[in-house]
Amino acid sequence: MLKNYFKIAIAVLKRRKFFTFISLFGISFTLTILIVATAFVDNVTSANYPELNRDRSLYINFLQQRNSKYGYTQNGPASYYYMDQYVNKLKTPESIGISSLFVPVNTYVNNKKLVVNIKYTNEAYWHVMQYQYIEGKPYTQQQIDNAERVAVISDDLKKDYFGDIPNVVGKYIEADNVQYRITGVVKSVPVTMAISYADLYAPYTVSKTDYRTKGLSGNYSAILLARSKAELPKIKEEYAGIVAKIKPEQKDFDQFISYADSYVTSFTRQMAGDPTNSSGLNILITAASAFILFFMLLPTLNLININISRIMERSSEIGVRKAFGASSKTLVWQFIVENIILTFFGAVIGIVLSFIILQVINNSELITNMHLSINLTVLLYSLIACLFFGLLSGVYPAWRMSRLEVVTALKAQ
């Protein structure tokens, strides 16, 4: 029976090639957009090089001082003083990596301007992150304490600054009018990973912004690495206890707010505006789900209209089959199977297109050092969603078809 349905479906698809093209285009285009978009989101939010320990890490990158009476706030990253005085006092984490936001500066190589993004870190940062060393090693705690001008650079910066020299450890590189001695070269990180991306990493003690300046606000973030995922709630609780004792810097404010969050939540909380009420994660998930639902409904409605047109074209066939005893149930099932076959073909085309587009994006280096790939879990759910909406788009036309009277169906042709 299914074999006959398959043959009929192929014949119907060949009969009106334009309608078939529109249907397949709608299904494959929708699936392609979803797979490519989720590949990007998955790359940004999942544990990827060098942040391989995100599942047992908490992030502190946002402070808020608030006037609860009038609602105005002061938001931003923390100072190194805050990290040293409060975050470094935490006893539960295995390690606490502290780093600044990357800052672009200019340097010149062979009379050519080169933009170098500098990040300042503590020594534990190199334990929390899992950088791949191409040459050398990170700077030590002793070098940080001595405020030595040493640096770890990315392999992209090595190529741009030194060319094809095989080993640059021990050589000097100039950035922002400062000479740094190179201790190591690491594999480059895409700019989408804001916590770990930089061209040049240097000790926080050589930053031109005095790390000893007292004040809560600055440009540093912290990663709290737990020994296991089970320890994360305990770390959150310990940090909340410390934050509860901190007073705002200015008299205009009466609330000080900061959280140790998972990677994604640490950013959605900033977008939520009022972190005391919501982390923003549920809002983001709801908005993304609504967008995907709406995005998939459009081709579904298109398929319903096309399928209704196909029914009217096949009314004589339906009338003849009914006249020879075919039940409405048989015809409905046949029509739904035809629609699922069409959806399956569209899904296969969509997967092939997605793979091609992702390869083009990776090879073109649209975002340097970012490698996108198809998430198999997302692919599975996308296929299930496509088949569901394909089934849904066939139910209503099939129901319309089942209600056609034999005489009416024969007269319609």
Side-chain angles (χ1 to χ4, degrees):
M1 183 67 74
L2 285 175
K3 185 177 180 182
N4 290 333
Y5 287 164
F6 183 80
K7 289 181 178 178
I8 295 173
I10 297 298
V12 170
L13 294 180
K14 289 181 178 178
R15 187 185 303 170
R16 294 297 298 269
K17 293 184 174 59
F18 179 72
F19 281 169
T20 301
F21 170 77
I22 294 295
S23 301
L24 291 177
F25 176 79
I27 297 168
S28 59
F29 179 76
T30 303
L31 189 61
T32 300
I33 295 297
L34 284 178
I35 290 177
V36 173
T38 51
F40 178 79
V41 173
D42 180 59
N43 185 279
V44 172
T45 60
S46 298
N48 287 305
Y49 170 83
E51 300 178 43
L52 301 177
N53 295 318
R54 278 186 184 171
D55 62 335
R56 59 184 181 102
S57 298
L58 294 173
Y59 293 75
I60 301 171
N61 53 22
F62 175 71
L63 306 181
Q64 183 177 86
Q65 299 179 75
R66 183 180 184 85
N67 185 305
S68 59
K69 183 177 180 180
Y70 297 104
Y72 56 83
T73 61
Q74 177 180 309
N75 306 320
S79 64
Y80 190 87
Y81 173 80
Y82 174 86
M83 295 297 183
D84 189 49
Q85 290 295 311
Y86 301 109
V87 178
N88 269 339
K89 296 294 189 294
L90 292 169
K91 297 178 180 177
T92 310
E94 176 184 322
S95 189
I96 301 174
I98 299 174
S99 63
S100 69
L101 302 175
F102 63 83
V103 179
V105 299
N106 295 328
T107 189
Y108 291 87
V109 182
N110 299 326
N111 295 322
K112 180 181 178 182
K113 188 174 80 172
L114 189 66
V115 177
V116 178
N117 294 299
I118 298 180
K119 181 184 288 289
Y120 300 99
T121 80
N122 68 348
E123 191 265 347
Y125 176 84
W126 300 105
H127 298 290
V128 173
M129 297 292 186
Q130 301 296 306
Y131 285 95
Q132 179 182 335
Y133 282 87
I134 298 172
E135 298 175 27
K137 58 186 180 181
Y139 37 81
T140 65
Q141 183 63 51
Q142 187 64 47
Q143 289 173 314
I144 294 175
D145 293 341
N146 294 339
E148 294 183 28
R149 291 188 169 88
V150 289
V152 172
I153 65 173
S154 69
D155 59 344
D156 282 347
L157 179 58
K158 175 193 168 185
K159 293 173 188 171
D160 293 339
Y161 195 91
F162 295 102
D164 296 327
I165 295 177
N167 194 322
V168 297
V169 172
K171 295 184 178 296
Y172 285 85
I173 183 171
E174 182 180 315
D176 201 21
N177 298 317
V178 176
Q179 291 279 341
Y180 295 95
R181 183 168 56 82
I182 299 171
T183 65
V185 179
V186 295
K187 180 183 173 185
S188 297
V189 176
V191 71
T192 50
M193 305 185 74
I195 303 296
S196 52
Y197 169 77
D199 299 310
L200 187 150
Y201 306 82
Y204 67 88
T205 49
V206 301
S207 169
K208 290 186 177 179
T209 303
D210 193 345
Y211 66 92
R212 291 165 294 194
T213 302
K214 294 183 179 179
L216 302 181
S217 300
N219 69 338
Y220 281 86
S221 62
I223 306 173
L224 315 179
L225 181 66
R227 292 173 181 80
S228 68
K229 292 171 65 175
E231 278 193 345
L232 295 179
K234 188 177 179 181
I235 296 175
K236 286 185 178 183
E237 184 180 354
E238 185 184 3
Y239 182 62
I242 291 177
V243 169
K245 299 175 184 176
I246 301 174
K247 302 296 182 186
E249 287 182 292
Q250 301 175 22
K251 294 181 180 178
D252 293 342
F253 301 111
D254 57 2
Q255 279 186 311
F256 178 82
I257 301 165
S258 180
Y259 293 91
D261 289 316
S262 63
Y263 182 77
V264 176
T265 305
S266 69
F267 291 101
T268 58
R269 192 182 292 281
Q270 297 177 47
M271 294 186 289
D274 184 0
T276 58
N277 292 327
S278 170
S279 67
L281 184 60
N282 291 334
I283 296 174
L284 179 66
I285 293 174
T286 303
S289 301
F291 173 78
I292 292 173
L293 181 64
F294 177 75
F295 192 67
M296 298 199 74
L297 273 177
L298 291 178
T300 301
L301 295 174
N302 177 52
L303 270 179
I304 290 175
N305 289 328
I306 291 177
N307 288 336
I308 290 175
S309 299
R310 288 182 188 275
I311 284 179
M312 299 311 297
E313 284 187 338
R314 300 170 65 185
S315 57
S316 60
E317 172 197 334
I318 295 168
V320 170
R321 293 194 61 184
K322 278 196 168 186
F324 280 89
S327 66
S328 296
K329 182 180 177 182
T330 302
L331 294 173
V332 166
W333 177 240
Q334 173 192 330
F335 200 80
I336 290 177
V337 170
E338 288 177 10
N339 218 52
I340 291 176
I341 292 172
L342 177 68
T343 305
F344 175 77
F345 284 145
V348 171
I349 295 172
I351 292 171
V352 173
L353 284 176
S354 302
F355 181 78
I356 294 172
I357 291 175
L358 290 179
Q359 293 306 309
V360 170
I361 292 174
N362 290 336
N363 293 331
S364 67
E365 294 207 346
L366 188 63
I367 300 176
T368 307
N369 298 312
M370 173 179 272
H371 182 80
L372 301 179
S373 60
I374 295 178
N375 184 303
L376 295 181
T377 303
V378 171
L379 175 62
L380 175 63
Y381 283 115
S382 298
L383 287 175
I384 293 174
C386 273
L387 290 175
F388 172 75
F389 282 99
L391 178 66
L392 189 66
S393 66
V395 169
Y396 176 69
W399 177 78
R400 285 274 303 268
M401 177 186 68
S402 69
R403 293 175 62 86
L404 283 176
E405 297 294 338
V406 175
V407 177
T408 306
L410 291 173
K411 284 183 176 179
Q413 188 61 31

